[in-house]
Amino acid sequence: MGRLTGGDPSLLRRINSAVVLQALRAATASAPPDAASASLTDLTLATGLSRPTVEGVVDGLIDSGLAAEVPAEEGGVRRQGRPARRFRFRAEAGHLLGIEIGAHRVAALLSDLDGRALGSTVREVSEKAPVDERLERVRAAVAELLRHGGVERHSLRAVGVGSPGIVEADGTVHLCTALPGWTGLPLGERLRRSFRCPVLVENDANTAAVAEHWRGAAVGSDDVVFVLAGLSPGAGSLIGGRLHRGYGGAAGEIGALHLLGREASPEQMLSTTGEPLNPLDEAQVVRVFALARDGDARARAAVDRFIRRLVHDTAALVLALDPEVVVVGGWAADLDGMLGPLRDELARYCLRPPQVAQSLLGEAAVTTGALRLALDHVEAELFAVDSTVTARRAGR
């Protein structure tokens, strides 16, 4: 924030406000619902600020709608004398959205300012849908979710979005082969027309990695690789607890590794007929795995090739990043015989084999991670948090 001087009273007030608000939120979040409040004394001890300063800040937070005074009978046992004033953070003062835009569906997740889910919705969409139709499906899903939750659109403080493709810092999709018309799409700009708040667009594997670190299989681990397993796999990674995008947002594009050796594409490797599979036809892929389970020799050979490729692609990232845990998600993670070979092969190729876990969030991973993007943005604004998982570099 720079060095403070005697000429920086507004900055000092802002810092004090952020410190008190963060302490109030932490105090009320960690308490049982019937005691989710903090007194001026609690906040003074937590922040190290003087009592008059804390009281002035709290009154300002009440005026802004971010805090509320709790009636004495709701803040604890009544004692003789004047009861201490108690306060709570108003998580209902704003709302957040996490949105997934995929080949076959769009989904949205609504929460309050504490990240508590208030509702979700999913709508199917054709993999052949043009840009306008897909974005209209997103708008309809959001409108339905807000209506059912009784939430006004103007109360949204931030919206996070997970999308396939290489996504630039401004939300433009630099390259995407999964969705028609997506390459070069100014997705962030298009979506911002529908909201009066910041819209943060991120690659879907990256958002899923953030989600598993927040509420999934990688909680407590700061060095994480998330593999979005499919015909064209992608990966997201956290290094030291922070999302790693790379300079241009293309970190983790392991689906392109086969190009280095000019080997067959994944849709060719999993084919049993010599004709490449449609990379967006998941049912076609599932049929190959079903045939393999039933003993079909060609299907078994195709599945072995597919798993071996996925293992090699993942191993390349593991060798480069040395993560504590590899989380596997996406539709292929649910197919039989996936995690065992991955563990065995990583143990064979990697100097220090990581833990391998299946996603705990499943289909909700991308929307959950997108919601975390929005929550990080709001925390950076309200609480002066400068070490969020998804923080972008300045000037990007």
Side-chain angles (χ1 to χ4, degrees):
M1 289 186 178
R3 190 173 64 183
L4 292 176
T5 70
D8 296 324
S10 62
L11 180 57
L12 185 57
R13 283 196 297 271
R14 178 182 171 189
I15 293 173
N16 288 344
S17 179
V19 168
V20 171
L21 184 59
Q22 191 171 28
L24 180 60
R25 185 200 192 200
T28 56
S30 61
D34 59 349
S37 62
S39 67
L40 290 176
T41 299
D42 296 332
L43 296 174
T44 298
L45 292 174
T47 63
L49 299 173
S50 69
R51 186 182 180 90
T53 296
V54 169
E55 189 166 19
V57 169
V58 169
D59 288 340
L61 292 174
I62 291 174
D63 291 340
S64 71
L66 289 171
E69 186 165 0
V70 178
E73 61 272 15
E74 294 181 23
V77 178
R78 287 295 301 270
R79 294 182 175 86
Q80 291 184 343
R82 181 181 178 184
R85 297 177 69 193
R86 301 192 68 86
F87 310 91
R88 67 178 181 87
F89 171 65
R90 294 188 69 246
E92 70 275 21
H95 297 87
L96 309 170
L97 269 179
I99 297 173
E100 174 191 3
I101 304 177
H104 301 279
R105 69 177 211 155
V106 298
L109 177 63
L110 177 69
S111 84
D112 63 15
L113 294 182
D114 272 333
R116 285 190 292 259
L118 303 176
S120 63
T121 188
V122 177
R123 291 197 172 197
E124 293 184 357
V125 62
S126 168
E127 70 270 15
K128 299 178 182 179
V131 169
D132 288 345
E133 180 181 337
R134 198 176 301 275
L135 292 183
E136 182 55 38
R137 196 61 57 91
V138 171
R139 295 186 187 99
V142 168
E144 176 188 41
L145 182 59
L146 295 179
R147 184 172 61 253
H148 285 175
V151 172
E152 298 292 334
R153 187 175 292 262
H154 63 76
S155 77
L156 293 175
R157 299 293 294 261
V159 176
V161 182
S163 164
I166 298 172
V167 181
E168 298 176 1
D170 65 353
T172 298
V173 182
H174 178 74
L175 176 66
C176 177
T177 59
L179 304 181
W182 227 243
T183 295
L185 177 68
L187 181 57
E189 178 184 327
R190 292 287 300 270
L191 290 174
R192 288 181 193 108
R193 300 173 189 174
S194 301
F195 302 102
R196 298 180 180 178
C197 65
V199 176
L200 304 101
V201 184
E202 187 57 81
N203 168 267
D204 51 3
N206 285 350
T207 60
V210 170
E212 295 292 341
H213 178 265
W214 183 32
R215 289 179 171 171
V219 171
S221 298
D222 283 344
D223 293 278
V224 179
V225 164
F226 176 89
V227 178
L228 192 61
L231 270 187
S232 182
S237 57
L238 274 65
I239 301 175
R242 293 175 66 89
L243 183 62
H244 178 68
R245 295 181 176 87
Y247 180 76
E253 291 295 327
I254 59 176
L257 285 175
H258 71 276
L259 298 175
L260 296 177
R262 297 184 179 179
E263 300 173 9
S265 66
E267 51 265 37
Q268 291 171 320
M269 294 190 71
L270 199 53
S271 172
T272 60
T273 64
E275 291 295 323
L277 302 182
N278 178 350
L280 298 180
D281 189 345
E282 296 174 5
Q284 190 180 20
V285 176
V286 169
R287 283 195 295 272
V288 175
F289 275 79
L291 287 171
R293 284 195 302 271
D294 292 339
D296 184 280
R298 287 187 177 182
R300 182 67 259 172
V303 168
D304 288 344
R305 290 194 301 266
F306 174 77
I307 293 178
R308 189 162 58 247
R309 170 66 61 77
L310 181 62
V311 167
H312 289 175
D313 291 349
T314 305
L317 205 52
V318 169
L319 284 168
L321 300 181
D322 185 29
E324 179 182 359
V325 60
V326 172
V327 181
V328 184
W331 57 264
D334 294 326
L335 300 175
D336 291 343
M338 178 63 68
L339 293 190
L342 183 57
R343 290 190 184 97
D344 294 342
E345 292 299 293
L346 288 179
R348 175 184 173 193
Y349 287 108
C350 299
L351 301 178
R352 192 205 60 79
Q355 301 172 34
V356 177
Q358 187 162 345
S359 167
L360 294 182
L361 298 173
E363 290 188 335
V366 175
T367 51
T368 302
L371 182 69
R372 181 70 235 191
L373 290 178
L375 182 57
D376 269 0
H377 180 85
V378 168
E379 287 182 343
E381 284 190 334
L382 296 183
F383 313 127
V385 176
D386 61 1
S387 58
T388 57
V389 171
T390 54
R392 292 183 185 271
R393 268 195 341 222
R396 288 287 304 280

